[in-house]
Amino acid sequence: MKKELNRIALDINSFFRVYLRKQSETELIKPMTYSLLPGGKKIRSKILTDVGKIFGISYKTLIKIGAAVECIHAYSLIHDDLPCMDNDDIRRGKLSTHKKFGEATAVLAGNSLLTLAFEILSNKNVLLTEKIKIKLIKLISKSSGHTGIAGGQLLDLNFEKKKNISINKIIAMQIKKTGKLFVFCCLAPAIISNKKQKIINQLEKIGYEIGLLFQIVDDLIDYRGNSKKVGKKTKKDKKSGKANLISLLGYQNTIKYTHKLKVSIFSKLKIFGKKSDSIKKTVLFILERNR
Ligand code: IPE
Ligand code: IPE
Ligand code: MG
Ligand code: MG
Ligand code: MG
């Protein structure tokens, strides 16, 4: 798994190096590059290539779509760390973007990375029809704005220090802030290969569950706490009074919940037979990861 993740990281990072070099030189390129490179596990792009494999999509195309996803993800992390949000100083083992460049620059670098994703997807070197590109841009927009990351992040902040937030509300918030981008990664390959609605619906459910699993495990990692290994401060969620499954159900029950989710994801993947071996391995990695 490490080898495969490293390969994807390498390929996406070299795409970014070439792509950013071709951009006009502005004051924001430096903080944007800082937040993108080397940076991150690239797990969303791994899911994208796993599903892409099921439908036989070219790896090169998947890397470009993955780059767009990683831009949106990097933007969400810059904003997530801001003092008005989670107020975190360390990200990916280095100073968070606002600590390094100041708040205003961080906000604007985040905005620029968000829009860069749309630019990448609409580029002519993404060898897809315009019709498909528009479908992808529409879906990634819905995953990022008020019905996705931004909307989920606001709920996450609104739920802080509130008692009695129900399990359904927590799950809905986590699906928005984290799950929807995973849904995009599961659906993009099916959209590219014009799959029937039935397959799209199945992959959408799988994406929700994988994204939710990813966020719950992130919360477990924060709870267990090993800042050095994780590359960001841990044991913070409890301090800031975040509403998550651990605060609601306790640590052990949350672990049980993640195992149930895994079983549910695996059973939904059955329709893809052996072709789903790769995504199953990634799901196990997500479940067992400690960073
Ligand atoms: C962290 O995401 C933020 C969440 C949505 C939980 P990742 O754990 O994928 O962050 P990087 O990209 O590997 O740093
Ligand atoms: C962030 O969730 C989700 C995003 C959409 C950025 P967290 O706030 O738990 O992410 P970390 O733990 O800071 O990476
Ligand atoms: Mg947060
Ligand atoms: Mg955070
Ligand atoms: Mg977290």
Side-chain angles (χ1 to χ4, degrees):
M1 177 61 53
K2 266 214 172 118
K3 230 169 100 187
E4 287 170 54
L5 279 172
N6 282 343
R7 171 156 184 232
I8 292 170
L10 218 75
D11 291 336
I12 289 189
N13 288 348
S14 27
F15 172 87
F16 279 141
R17 280 196 188 92
V18 174
Y19 199 90
L20 291 169
R21 217 178 291 137
K22 285 189 197 151
Q23 295 273 310
S24 319
E25 258 185 59
T26 66
E27 304 266 316
L28 285 168
I29 281 287
K30 210 170 151 193
M32 286 161 72
T33 310
Y34 176 86
S35 316
L36 272 180
L37 299 171
K41 295 179 285 293
K42 306 286 190 280
I43 203 80
R44 293 158 188 78
S45 300
K46 175 71 169 71
I47 293 285
L48 184 71
T49 58
D50 290 335
V51 182
K53 239 186 244 169
I54 298 180
F55 301 123
I57 313 283
S58 108
Y59 177 75
K60 271 197 171 161
T61 299
L62 294 169
I63 286 301
K64 288 168 196 159
I65 300 173
V69 171
E70 298 298 339
C71 280
I72 290 182
H73 172 53
Y75 128 72
S76 78
L77 296 179
I78 298 177
H79 284 198
D80 183 70
D81 290 337
L82 287 170
C84 58
M85 297 195 71
D86 288 353
N87 193 18
D88 271 312
D89 296 352
I90 302 289
R91 171 68 62 183
R92 293 171 168 171
K94 55 186 191 180
L95 286 179
S96 44
T97 309
H98 69 274
K99 275 281 153 188
K100 180 84 180 174
F101 297 95
E103 270 179 57
T105 305
V107 169
L108 298 168
N111 294 347
S112 305
L113 284 173
L114 172 63
T115 52
L116 196 70
F118 306 122
E119 190 190 308
I120 290 173
L121 282 178
S122 55
N123 211 289
K124 65 176 181 308
N125 67 13
V126 177
L127 301 176
L128 298 169
T129 63
E130 297 209 335
K131 202 172 162 195
I132 287 184
K133 283 188 197 178
I134 288 171
K135 278 190 185 172
L136 293 179
I137 291 170
K138 189 171 176 189
L139 185 62
I140 210 168
S141 308
K142 284 185 179 292
S143 313
S144 315
H146 69 110
T147 56
I149 295 174
Q153 288 283 68
L154 183 61
L155 292 175
D156 174 280
L157 296 170
N158 286 345
F159 291 171
E160 271 184 17
K161 299 190 175 72
K162 291 229 171 73
K163 293 224 159 62
N164 307 324
I165 306 288
S166 69
I167 181 159
N168 287 344
K169 279 195 171 158
I170 290 172
I171 288 173
M173 172 272 282
Q174 299 202 321
I175 278 179
K176 274 190 176 178
K177 77 167 179 169
T178 307
K180 290 252 180 127
L181 200 53
F182 280 84
V183 171
F184 173 81
C185 295
C186 287
L187 285 188
I191 289 171
I192 293 171
S193 38
N194 270 315
K195 287 289 160 198
K196 288 204 186 92
Q197 198 57 41
K198 199 178 146 206
I199 298 284
I200 303 259
N201 292 347
Q202 183 79 348
L203 280 166
E204 189 176 28
K205 286 184 208 147
I206 292 168
Y208 280 131
E209 290 189 349
I210 295 179
L212 180 61
L213 177 66
F214 186 85
Q215 183 61 52
I216 298 173
V217 173
D218 180 84
D219 298 338
L220 287 166
I221 291 170
D222 177 89
Y223 181 90
R224 281 199 292 269
N226 184 340
S227 289
K228 254 209 177 122
K229 192 161 188 158
V230 189
K232 57 189 181 188
K233 273 203 192 119
T234 50
K235 302 192 200 300
K236 276 215 54 171
D237 293 345
K238 200 174 171 187
K239 246 184 242 160
S240 46
K242 292 283 187 198
N244 56 33
L245 291 197
I246 307 168
S247 66
L248 189 72
L249 308 172
Y251 180 72
Q252 289 303 335
N253 285 331
T254 303
I255 289 181
K256 275 188 204 149
Y257 193 91
T258 60
H259 283 93
K260 273 195 215 148
L261 266 178
K262 184 216 102 177
V263 172
S264 170
I265 295 164
F266 273 34
S267 93
K268 290 191 176 66
L269 282 169
K270 268 191 195 135
I271 58 161
F272 301 112
K274 275 218 81 56
K275 284 189 175 165
S276 65
D277 284 357
S278 183
I279 192 169
K280 277 187 186 161
K281 277 191 205 147
T282 309
V283 170
L284 283 180
F285 173 83
I286 288 175
L287 178 70
E288 287 155 11
R289 73 201 175 94
N290 44 27
R291 57 176 285 261

